Amino acid sequence: MAYPDEVLVEGEQVVIHKHPHWKMLVLPVLVLLLVVAAGSFLAALVSAQSWAPWVWLVLGVVGLALIIRFTVVPVVRWRTTHFVVTNRRVLVREGVFTRQGIDIPMSRINSVQFRHTLLERLVGSGTLVIESASDEPLEFEDVPGVERVHAMLYSEVADEVP
């Protein structure tokens, strides 16, 4: 899915557009499977009782609430978080109802670093650290293909230098 062109300035082109790494979705999927399994087990336990339909209703409501809170919300948060590198800036946007974002012009970037643990190396993600003219370096966690993003961003910053 391409990043919306209406947020780009004239002549600006998207170089990289990524969502956070899929590892953020492992726990929500496990919660979904656990809630479905536990709900099914409990529903089967009470199926022979005369009051079973009321328990099924309660199990359904509780299960649905748990799935919305611990599966749907993280998936929507993941889907609405964007890490974008253009030929002029780095953009990060996140949020559904209240959006927040940061833009870093290429000309203000002093250095680009990355780090990743052994597990992150195995799944292909990591943390991208961008030092700009601001006081603190900005860290972007769970960037998929962080080494490739680092190289591409470094290339864009090097092209920007006169």
Side-chain angles (χ1 to χ4, degrees):
M1 176 176 143
Y3 195 70
D5 289 336
E6 64 266 10
V7 299
L8 303 176
V9 298
E10 186 177 327
E12 188 173 23
Q13 298 172 344
V14 174
V15 177
I16 296 175
H17 174 217
K18 299 205 176 258
H19 294 284
H21 195 269
W22 57 263
K23 75 177 184 174
M24 290 182 63
L25 300 176
V26 171
L27 189 59
V29 169
L30 290 176
V31 168
L32 173 67
L33 296 174
L34 182 64
V35 167
V36 169
S40 300
F41 177 74
L42 293 173
L45 276 180
V46 298
S47 64
Q49 306 299 324
S50 62
W51 38 269
W54 293 106
V55 174
W56 290 342
L57 181 64
V58 170
L59 286 173
V61 168
V62 170
L64 185 63
L66 289 171
I67 288 170
I68 288 172
R69 170 62 183 93
F70 295 108
T71 300
V72 173
V73 169
V75 168
V76 170
R77 185 176 300 127
W78 172 83
R79 186 72 177 116
T80 58
T81 300
H82 301 273
F83 179 82
V84 181
V85 177
T86 71
N87 58 339
R88 294 188 180 178
R89 59 188 168 154
V90 176
L91 299 94
V92 177
R93 299 285 187 270
E94 49 191 8
V96 179
F97 299 114
T98 57
R99 303 266 306 155
Q100 62 182 12
I102 186 168
D103 295 1
I104 307 167
M106 290 292 179
S107 60
R108 307 250 348 239
I109 296 176
N110 295 334
S111 70
V112 183
Q113 305 170 19
F114 72 91
R115 67 174 177 267
H116 45 185
T117 64
L118 179 60
L119 177 62
E120 288 174 328
R121 288 179 68 188
L122 290 173
V123 298
S125 71
T127 300
L128 188 69
V129 181
I130 299 175
E131 291 185 26
S132 64
S134 66
D135 294 335
E136 296 289 324
L138 300 168
E139 295 190 7
F140 303 103
E141 297 177 351
D142 297 323
V143 176
V146 71
E147 288 187 59
R148 183 176 162 270
V149 173
H150 170 265
M152 185 69 70
L153 188 54
Y154 180 79
S155 172
E156 291 294 324
V157 169
D159 289 346
E160 189 73 22
V161 176

